[in-house]
Amino acid sequence: MVSRIFALCLEGKFQWEISDILNAGGILYSPDRPVWNKFRISFILRNERYMGADGYPELIDSETFQAVQALLQKKWGKRNRRNRPVSALRETLRCPCGGRLKRWFSSVHKPDTLYLRCAECGGEVVIPDADLLAEVERQAAEYTPPAEGGYTPSEETVRLTNAINRGLERPECPEDVVALILQGISARYACFDTPAASPDTQRLIKEKAYAQAIKYITITAENAVTVTFK
């Protein structure tokens, strides 16, 4: 697959064209993230470990890799780095401690990768643009506007809550308590009002105006991304 992506690039295909080809062919990026996009293609095309670096198997020879880098530089060398799509999200990036994640530069800086450091705790994050943007898009696709009208517990919810509390006090049958907890979650969810018309945040998401729709993005040192929408 990697060699095919490099070959398509050398044929003159843009990253978005390569992602369309792979998606049309039913080829998965990964089981949990099946869809290809131009950011993931770009990350692969610029990743030196496919030449056998860092103990990885050699999938691409150095001549092919360098030829692709030269082609990418020719296509995008004049592009202002501020125009990277991920740049629009930088002001929203946060550390789990709540501090802002700010850019810093490593001696082994890789292209299309964010090198971040927390202004509060000093924690560091290194995350490829492709991974961050893909995760933001996934969470945006799953976004559901908050329900209006608040939450009013039903008689069934109250009954299950009492039963759960009794079970937790005397957990002789933990399986029964787990079953009650699951029933309670379902009952509480049913108590929320049906969401009204899509709010502005959902409209912005549909327009892919993520920079305006997002309140902040939390990134852990392990690159777990959590998006909080406005």
Side-chain angles (χ1 to χ4, degrees):
M1 179 52 55
V2 171
S3 59
R4 183 183 180 190
I5 290 173
F6 274 77
L8 288 170
C9 180
L10 290 175
E11 290 175 10
K13 297 286 192 298
F14 287 93
Q15 284 95 323
W16 63 267
E17 292 178 304
I18 297 174
S19 67
D20 285 350
I21 290 172
L22 298 181
N23 288 328
I27 300 169
L28 305 183
Y29 175 73
S30 69
D32 55 332
R33 298 177 182 178
V35 180
W36 290 88
N37 57 43
K38 63 181 181 181
F39 308 113
R40 287 172 175 161
I41 297 297
S42 178
F43 178 67
I44 288 175
L45 291 174
R46 298 179 186 277
N47 198 328
E48 296 180 355
R49 65 188 181 191
Y50 292 122
M51 292 189 295
D54 300 328
Y56 283 83
E58 181 180 341
L59 302 179
I60 297 295
D61 59 60
S62 60
E63 291 79 8
T64 299
F65 185 84
Q66 294 304 328
V68 166
Q69 304 318 300
L71 182 60
L72 293 175
Q73 181 64 26
K74 182 178 179 180
K75 285 184 176 180
W76 306 108
K78 297 181 180 180
R79 184 184 67 175
N80 190 318
R81 296 296 290 179
R82 290 176 297 177
N83 291 334
R84 284 165 60 188
V86 77
S87 299
L89 303 176
R90 284 188 184 137
E91 295 301 315
T92 69
L93 304 181
R94 297 290 184 273
C95 173
C97 78
R100 285 189 57 186
L101 289 173
K102 297 185 177 182
R103 293 181 64 193
W104 64 282
F105 294 92
S106 166
S107 59
V108 290
H109 187 85
K110 295 181 180 179
D112 296 318
T113 299
L114 283 176
Y115 290 76
L116 307 167
R117 179 175 289 150
C118 177
E120 299 295 331
C121 70
E124 296 178 353
V125 172
V126 178
I127 184 168
D129 291 12
D131 288 0
L132 176 58
L133 292 167
E135 186 60 21
V136 167
E137 185 146 344
R138 183 190 69 79
Q139 294 187 38
E142 296 177 355
Y143 171 79
T144 301
E148 296 184 354
Y151 164 76
T152 302
S154 64
E155 292 183 4
E156 178 66 4
T157 301
V158 173
R159 184 188 70 78
L160 286 169
T161 299
N162 292 335
I164 291 168
N165 290 335
R166 288 194 298 271
L168 291 174
E169 291 173 359
R170 296 182 178 180
E172 290 89 355
C173 297
E175 296 85 358
D176 293 342
V177 177
V178 171
L180 285 170
I181 290 173
L182 294 175
Q183 292 177 44
I185 292 172
S186 178
R188 284 193 295 275
Y189 182 82
C191 292
F192 284 97
D193 294 338
T194 302
S198 298
D200 287 341
T201 299
Q202 196 170 42
R203 174 182 60 80
L204 290 169
I205 288 174
K206 289 180 178 178
E207 296 172 359
K208 296 188 179 297
Y210 296 150
Q212 301 175 54
I214 291 171
K215 186 175 182 180
Y216 51 83
I217 301 171
T218 302
I219 310 176
T220 70
E222 295 76 27
N223 286 2
V225 176
T226 303
V227 182
T228 300
F229 294 96
K230 295 179 178 177

